[in-house]
Structures are given as C-alpha cells and as structure tokens.
Amino acid sequence: MIRTFKILRFNLEKDKKPHFQNYQTECPPGYTVLDVLYDIKGLQDGTLSYRRSCRSGVCGSCGMKINGVNLLACKTQVESLKKKVIHVEPLPGFPVMRDLIVDLTPFWEKLENIKPYLINHTPPPTTERYQSAEDQLKIEEATWCILCNCCTSSCPSLWANKEYLGPAALLKAYRFVFDSRDEGAEERYKVLNTKSGLWRCHTIFNCMDACPQEINITEYISKLKTRVVSERY
Amino acid sequence: MTHIHDVVIIGAGLAGMRAALEASKVADVAVITKLYPSRSHSGAAQGGIAATLKNVDSDDCIEFHMFDTVKGSDYLGDQDAIENLCNEAPEVIYETEHMGVPYSRTPEGKIAQRKFGGHSLHHGKVAANRACYAADYTGHVLLHTFFEQCIKQRVRFYSEFQAVGLIVVDNRCLGIVAWDIQKGGLHVFHAKATMFATGGYGRVFKITSNAHASTGDGLALCLRAGLPLEDMEFVQFHPTGLYKQGILLSEGARGEGAYLLNGLNERFMERYAPTLMELAPRDMVSRSIQTEILEGRGAGPKKDHVWLDIRHIGEKRIAAVIPQIRSLCLNFGGVDPIKQPIPIQTTAHYSMGGIPVTCDGRVIYDEKNSLVEGLYAAGECACVSVHGANRLGTNSLLDATANGRRTGRTIANDIGKLKLNALPENPMEDTQERIGRVAGSTGREKVIHIRHDLRDSMEENCGVFRSGERLQKQKQILKDLLERYRQIKIDDQSKVFNTDIMEALELGYMLEFSELIVEGALRRTESRGAHSRTDFPKRDDVNWLNHTLAWRDASGQIRFGSKPVVIKNYQPMERKY
Ligand SMILES: Cc1cc2nc3c(=O)[nH]c(=O)nc-3n(C[C@H](O)[C@H](O)[C@H](O)COP(=O)(O)OP(=O)(O)OC[C@H]3O[C@@H](n4cnc5c(N)ncnc54)[C@H](O)[C@@H]3O)c2cc1C
Ligand code: SF4
Ligand code: SF4
C-alpha cells in the first residue's frame, strides 16, 4: 500500500527553520517506519538524514516523534499507524542538528553527573561478588534501558526546565542506588536531591508511555524519592 | 585539524572499550566511534559469554572449554590463542562483575550459567552450562557497563566520528584520518599506537543479524593501506534468524530447550546430530536447516523456512530468561512464541576472519608474522584466530572482552617504547581525494541498488552452501558491481550529518573486501566449519589445514598467501556431535 509521510526537514547550512516535506512510498506488510526512511533515502532523496543502527530495538538510535508520539522507528509498524498522513519529526526538547537528528549533548552531560557507574570501595573477592537473585531482580528491568531518550524528550517537566535531569538519567541513578553491590548512594544524593533533580519529577507518566522497553520508569523514580527522603530527612 | 594522542582506538564496542580501560591506566587514549558507544552492535548480543566458572556444572573445567573451542573451529583455530582465551575467561568475567554487570544469578547468588551450542563436558559427552548471562540482554549490559567504566575513568570519546583512512608508512602506523559526522570535515588523529575494534561485516549479506553499521570499515582501511586480511572466507550463518528479517533469536532459546521443527513437524536435528541435537554447533545446525529446505521439507507455502518452537518452555520461564526473544517475535515478526512456533531462517551473523594479529593483538603484515609497528586490533574485526572456521556461541563476547583487555595491556606495555613518528607531508591527501571523488559523483547509479545487488548475490552465491560454479559467477558479479560503483550519484552536499556520503563509502568498503570472501572461498577447495563447498564436501587437512592471507592492491588485484595453524594439544579429528 502507498502511504504518505510528512517528514520534518532541517539543514542548518540552508534553512532558517524546519519545514515538512511530503514523500509517498510503498509500504508492504511488516514494514517499519525505519524501512520507510531507508527507502526514501535510498530511492527518492539522499539528503534525508536520520540515525539508525541495530534495527531491532536495542541500540536506541532511532527515537523520533511519529504521529505525535515518541517511538523507535525500527519498532513501529507502518500498519499500526492509522492516520492517513504520517508525521515524522525529531525528538522534542533537544536542539535539532539536522532533519530527524537531535543533539544529545545535554543528556550525556546529565548522565555523567549522576555518576553512572558502580561505586564500591571494598576490594573485590577473587570470584564474583554475590548478589541474591531477588536483589538482582530489583534492578534488572532498569538495566534494560537503551538510552534512546524517548522518555526524556516526552517529559513536560524537562520542556519547562532544561536543567532537569530527566527520567533516563534518574533511571540510571536508580539502577545503581538500588544495586546491592553499590556504595555510592550518598554521592549521588547530592545530585538527585536538588531542584533540577528528583523533585522536578511530577509523576506525569509521559516517560513510561514513551519507553520502548516498557520500563516502569515512574515506579523506580518514586522508589528513589522514597529512599532519598528516608535517608535524608 | 590534527589531534595528538598516545593511543587512538577505533570502535567503542566491547573490544574497543575494554582495551581503552586498560590502556588509559598509563596513557592518553582517544576512542573514535561512528556510533555513540552504547549503540555499538555488541549491545545486540543476547545469549551469553563463556567461562568455566563451574557455578552450575561443578565438573566443568577449562580444558573442556579449550577442547570444545578447538573442535568447534574445525581445527582451524590457533591453539595458543585458544588456551589464552579459555584460561583468562573466568578472571575476565569476574572483572566484568566487579565493574557492575548485572548478571542473572543462581539461587546461591553466583553468576547464572546456561547451555549453549557446542559447549560440552568431558569432550562432547553432555551439554555444559558455561554461558554466563543476564537474561537475554548479556551484550547490552556488558556494553553499558564498559561505557560506564569508561566514563568513570574519563576516557576521551570522539563519538560520531567515522574513520576513513589509515596512515601506514614503511610498516609503521602513524594514526588515522576520520570524518566528523556531526559537523563535517576531516581530522587527523596522530598517535603512537592505533587499534582497530570496528566489529563485523554481516551487512554484505541480504539476511543478517548485524546492524546497519556493521560494514567492516576497519578491514577495508587495512586492505587499502596494503595490509592483508586473514580467513575472510569463513562467515558464520546463525541458524535462527527471524524469517525475512534476519533479526537474531538467540541460541539461548535452544539452550533453554527449544526445538527445531521442519514443515512435517519433525525434530530434524535427530538426523544430523543425534547427541547434541538442537545444541550442535551453528555451522552444522545451519546446514541441517538448509538441507531440510533444499530437500523440500521446509515450512510455509514457499517451504523456505523452518520452525523454532519454545512453547513448551512456558510463559513464566520465557519471561524470566529469554524475554527479549518474545518481544522481538511480537514486534518484528508478528508472532507470539508462547502460542505459535516461530518461523526462522539462517542469517549471516559473524565474521571469523579479519585483521591478522598475534596472540597479543599486534597486527602482522605477512606469512612470517612480521609486525606493523604501532598497529593493533581486537574483537570481531580481528583474526587471532580463536574461532578458526566456526566460532562457538558465547565465545565472541569473550573474545572481544578478553582480547580487548589483552590488547589494551599490550599497548600499555608498548607505549613507553613507541615514538610519535613524523607524519607524511600531507597525511590526508589520499582520503581527501577519495572523499572528494565520492562526494562529487554525478553518475546514474543509486547506492541502494548496488548495495542490494551485492547483498542478494552474496546470499545466493556465497552463503551456507557454496560451489565453484557459483563462486565464479559471484566473482564476475562483484567486478560488475565495482564498475557500477564508479557511476554512483550522491544527492547530499552538506557537511552536517551527511550520511549519504558515509553510506557510499561503506558500500565501497564492502565491495572491496567481498572479493576476498568470494575468491578465498573459491580458492579453498574443501569444506571446513562454516565454509561448505558442495563440490568439495570433505575437510582436507593435507592441503588446507592453514590460514588464508589475502592482499588487494590499488588496481584490485588479489594475492593470496597462507600461514600454518598453531597446533598444540589437539590433533585434528573427525568432527561429530
Ligand atoms: C544479534 C547478535 C547477537 C549476538 N549474540 C552473541 C552472544 O550471545 N554471545 C557472544 O559471545 N557473541 C554474540 N554475538 C557476537 C558478538 O556480539 C560480537 O562479535 C561482538 O560484540 C563484537 O564486538 P566488537 O567490539 O568487536 O564490535 P562492535 O560491538 O560491533 O563495535 C564496533 C564499533 O566500531 C565502531 N566503528 C565501526 N566502523 C567505524 C569507523 N569507520 N569509524 C569509527 N568507528 C567505527 C562502531 O561505532 C562500534 O563502536 C552476537 C552478535 C549479534 C549480531
Ligand atoms: S513521571 Fe517524571 S520523569 Fe516521567 S514524564 Fe513525568 S515528570 Fe517527567
Ligand atoms: S528509560 Fe526507556 S525511553 Fe528512557 S531512555 Fe531508557 S529505554 Fe529509552
């Protein structure tokens, strides 16, 4: 079936502001939005730029706004999009570098701030550190985050305040604070327990709806809040 | 612009980042990567990473792991490198755990381990639980953990920089030339030590488990610099790719007990590997699937696939240990594997060959193992060779991690002795000229068409089963495609994120080293591991128990040489499972 796509185009070397461009393309059953972008780029317009790599939902490159919702292009079946014309735009809330590509620098900086690595000052044993299957389960789902930022970019609190750490960075913080092997919670609280930290989250659930990994982000952020409150106050 | 660093590593997958963690302890390291580190294809690995931890099988031992790896390699693996790999595995895995990898756990709280194809106890008696795993996100969590450790150690990343040229003068490596994808423009990275960790090249085939970015850039850059590649004819086809998509459904499924069924609902592996059944090594399972299809026992209206059945594993266990497999089937195949069997076909998965290196990760340039000063490689782009003619599942995450570490240590040791040799007068000249030529292409051919013709024809003529006739045909097809490549058209002339030009460069790389795959396969008149010739169905140890080295000069002439296999404790035997 032939479908129409309106894709937001922007080239800072030429354009003052972004504009939509129309493309029509054949979409056989099973086609994803990434397949469509691939075909358009290859067959109709080589200047269309987007990020992609694994095409199986695990690298997190192809997050974009499709018919108003943040989705991974590779995981979105064209057949599932009911509107007649399909709109494709870059992730909101980040500066656009070109077409569907946003500048994620602000996110990478925030990620570094929460100390996204295991902190453990005790010398390790010669084998593994033991962790109960129960304790591992507490963090397992959170470790499946692919850093696509579909969540961050759907978060109204972040749109309002660009300094806010945002759900993906907070989720990473959760993953370490609740890791039974980690001893760095205190250091992280300093970043989390601030105006642009945990308390900017108003539990609006946008992030969870956007997450292609279906991670219970809000629940984990709430647990982090409870933990900070109980240890700090 | 010229940047100077002690060490430049190209690639931020497991191999590149693990090496960076070692080398950056003593030297100033820069990691160049065309993708953000967390997006490297290591993250797609699902099933597990091998090591004899004995957490489940107390009678497992390192020697069994060695034997399985040698046998799995169809005796083409170098046994010194395999000894290192298996000996270091437990320590390497414990280290990753100390770094924070959230492994699944046994009831006692140890790292969980499961079965994987070709891994056995007592030299093939029963399947071994040797694959350490984190549900079916093993590669993902390893990749993210290494990235986190690199952040902690303040490793310098140049993300979204694509290496496009290698500077080698008189067998000394001086660094690389890279294109800044975000801003446009060429940069020289001048270094004492340069390391490739650029991953595999599955994108040469139509049906593949590999990422769009898996285009073998590092291999092509070495070839162009006059260096040889090793064993390129050995490409692994994984048995269980999702039908039509090629997206991988991890062997972890079969480790958990999944069945393979043909169109007649028979567990056909009984015919081919009665002991290990579905858990026989990949090359055998892939050939068995292909044979079932060729002999008319395939499934579906076209009889062109078979089934992977996980229904009997049960919803709960599936959710606990292989959740990603279910979501991949639902999202990309439109089937719910709890209710239906999954349609699958073989998928190009792993490149055993690559940049020839010594056990310590030093790149060599001839049959006598002469070293290129200051050049190193590890991971899927390198050929050590621990995988020989066929790699075992879970041995490549281990290879990338263990040999990434080993190579990082080699660099750390060498760095004091290495000098920052003077760059040639205009180190970017060749690269500039080449990119200029591609960017200015105004021909009639579309890159996508040549790319598809390459993939389709490689799949058809250089896939699971090969023959002299088909390979000859493919050799000519590649010549024609290279000719058409001279006539391409580039639409995009901007600097920022010009993926049009980068994709065209990648296509050029793939065309060039595909010739080595095809001609190497043509030259090797035997069947060994993943290389299976219908006109030479037997392994031939008299003539072919050796590694292929191949060079390609600027005019496209290919020259071959060979290197002996390192044999220590295990003499070649017939390979039965
Ligand atoms: C779907 C799938 C599942 C797998 N499952 C398993 C498993 O369960 N167990 C197992 O042991 N193995 C598995 N493998 C194999 C294993 O994942 C890979 O062999 C291994 O991860 C390769 O790691 P690497 O570091 O060599 O390369 P990669 O992780 O592919 O990294 C390559 C890096 O090089 C960079 N790069 C490439 N070209 C350039 C360039 N020109 N300039 C700059 N940077 C460049 C990329 O950006 C990337 O950072 C699997 C493979 C696939 C495809
Ligand atoms: S729950 Fe918090 S993080 Fe998620 S969208 Fe809402 S405000 Fe943002
Ligand atoms: S939490 Fe989900 S949406 Fe957010 S970055 Fe991670 S995977 Fe993406």
Side-chain angles (χ1 to χ4, degrees), chain B residues 11-12 14-15 33-34 40-42 45 47-48 163 217 349-350 380 394 396-397:
Chain B
L14 292 190
T33 168
K34 65 179 179 180
S40 303
H41 207 48
S42 289
D217 305 7
H349 184 56
Y350 186 83
E380 191 168 339
T394 69
S396 59
L397 290 179

Side-chain angles (χ1 to χ4, degrees), chain A residues 9 11-14 30-32 34-35 38-62 74-77 97-99 101-105 108 111-112 115-120 124-134 136-137 139-140 142-149 172 175-176 179 181 212-214, chain B residues 35-41 43-44 53 55 94 96-111 134-137 140-141 144-145 147-149 151-152 154 160 182-183 203 207-214 245-248 319-320 323-324 327-328 331-333 347 446-449 451-452 455 491-500 503 506:
Chain A
R9 302 294 313 270
N11 180 343
L12 97 183
E13 291 159 64
K14 290 206 296 239
Y31 243 46
T32 65
L34 187 66
D35 293 329
Y38 176 89
D39 278 2
I40 292 175
K41 182 177 182 67
L43 298 168
Q44 302 185 27
D45 185 351
T47 67
L48 177 66
S49 267
Y50 57 93
R51 286 195 180 103
R52 86 283 180 268
S53 188
C54 79
R55 64 81 167 83
S56 56
V58 69
C59 79
S61 301
C62 65
C74 73
K75 231 176 167 172
T76 307
Q77 295 281 327
M97 297 172 90
R98 168 137 194 217
D99 298 340
I101 296 163
V102 295
D103 183 1
L104 292 168
T105 315
W108 299 116
L111 186 72
E112 286 194 23
K115 307 202 177 202
Y117 36 80
L118 192 83
I119 298 177
N120 187 312
T126 50
T127 66
E128 67 268 66
R129 291 192 172 102
Y130 281 30
Q131 179 173 51
S132 70
E134 222 178 16
Q136 193 267 350
L137 270 184
I139 58 164
E140 182 175 69
T143 66
W144 295 345
C145 167
I146 56 176
L147 303 180
C148 64
N149 277 299
K172 193 62 127 184
R175 175 250 170 280
F176 287 108
D179 188 325
R181 303 166 295 175
Q213 293 289 77
E214 297 175 31
Chain B
L35 307 168
Y36 279 107
S38 59
R39 292 166 181 181
S40 303
H41 207 48
L53 304 187
N55 288 355
Y94 291 139
T96 63
E97 195 280 336
H98 299 158
M99 290 176 188
V101 172
Y103 285 107
S104 298
R105 299 286 169 158
T106 65
E108 312 86 76
K110 298 180 185 176
I111 296 172
D136 52 3
Y137 282 98
H140 166 84
V141 294
H144 282 248
T145 303
F147 181 37
E148 291 156 8
Q149 290 296 310
I151 292 176
K152 182 175 179 193
R154 308 215 158 273
E160 305 202 309
Q182 294 185 353
K183 298 203 180 73
R203 281 284 144 179
I207 302 289
T208 177
S209 65
N210 283 196
H212 283 289
S214 304
Q245 308 271 354
I247 291 174
L248 191 81
Q324 189 178 185
S327 62
L328 288 171
N331 289 315
F332 299 96
T347 183
K446 286 198 179 293
V447 166
I448 192 173
H449 289 143
R451 194 195 297 133
H452 286 186
R455 287 192 208 164
D491 291 345
D492 195 350
Q493 297 301 330
S494 354
K495 292 196 128 193
V496 175
F497 256 96
N498 189 326
T499 48
D500 208 20
E503 287 183 4
E506 291 169 348

Side-chain angles (χ1 to χ4, degrees), chain A residues 144-152 168 171 207 210-213 215 217:
Chain A
W144 295 345
C145 167
I146 56 176
L147 303 180
C148 64
N149 277 299
C150 285
C151 57
T152 314
L171 184 73
C207 57
C211 178
Q213 293 289 77
I215 298 170
I217 312 171

Side-chain angles (χ1 to χ4, degrees), chain B residues 164-377:
Chain B
V164 288
L166 172 64
I167 313 170
V168 175
V169 182
D170 298 333
N171 297 316
R172 273 195 195 147
C173 181
L174 307 170
I176 58 144
V177 183
W179 175 263
D180 177 351
I181 303 176
Q182 294 185 353
K183 298 203 180 73
L186 285 174
H187 296 237
V188 172
F189 289 85
H190 186 194
K192 295 179 187 169
T194 302
M195 174 183 169
F196 278 108
T198 45
Y201 55 77
R203 281 284 144 179
V204 163
F205 295 88
K206 179 179 177 199
I207 302 289
T208 177
S209 65
N210 283 196
H212 283 289
S214 304
T215 49
D217 305 7
L219 295 117
L221 296 184
C222 286
L223 262 191
R224 285 191 179 158
L227 304 176
L229 298 178
E230 182 175 346
D231 290 345
M232 290 293 284
E233 60 271 34
F234 294 101
V235 178
Q236 177 168 81
F237 295 86
H238 193 289
T240 55
L242 194 55
Y243 181 49
K244 284 191 178 159
Q245 308 271 354
I247 291 174
L248 191 81
L249 302 174
S250 164
E251 199 171 303
R254 280 171 289 139
E256 293 293 337
Y259 303 143
L260 285 170
L261 305 171
N262 63 15
L264 308 169
N265 263 328
E266 297 167 326
R267 269 183 85 185
F268 57 84
M269 284 311 295
E270 237 153 49
R271 272 196 275 285
Y272 307 94
T275 317
L276 288 186
M277 295 287 290
E278 280 86 356
L279 287 175
R282 291 181 178 169
D283 56 330
M284 289 191 169
V285 182
S286 286
R287 279 194 293 277
S288 309
I289 291 175
Q290 215 66 357
T291 306
E292 291 296 304
I293 292 172
L294 289 171
E295 293 179 357
R297 292 187 295 275
K302 293 191 186 152
K303 300 195 173 199
D304 59 352
H305 59 273
V306 297
W307 306 111
L308 179 72
D309 194 349
I310 64 172
R311 287 173 296 182
H312 55 285
I313 297 172
E315 186 169 352
K316 236 176 110 185
R317 178 103 188 130
I318 291 171
V321 291
I322 44 173
Q324 189 178 185
I325 291 188
R326 184 170 179 214
S327 62
L328 288 171
C329 289
L330 286 168
N331 289 315
F332 299 96
V335 290
D336 185 349
I338 287 175
K339 303 197 186 104
Q340 299 155 271
I342 312 159
I344 52 133
Q345 70 189 129
T346 59
T347 183
H349 184 56
Y350 186 83
S351 26
M352 271 74 74
I355 305 166
V357 292
T358 64
C359 284
D360 295 326
R362 297 189 170 92
V363 175
I364 62 159
Y365 67 84
D366 64 13
E367 293 93 331
K368 294 186 298 250
N369 289 328
S370 312
L371 302 178
V372 185
E373 188 183 303
L375 188 60
Y376 307 80

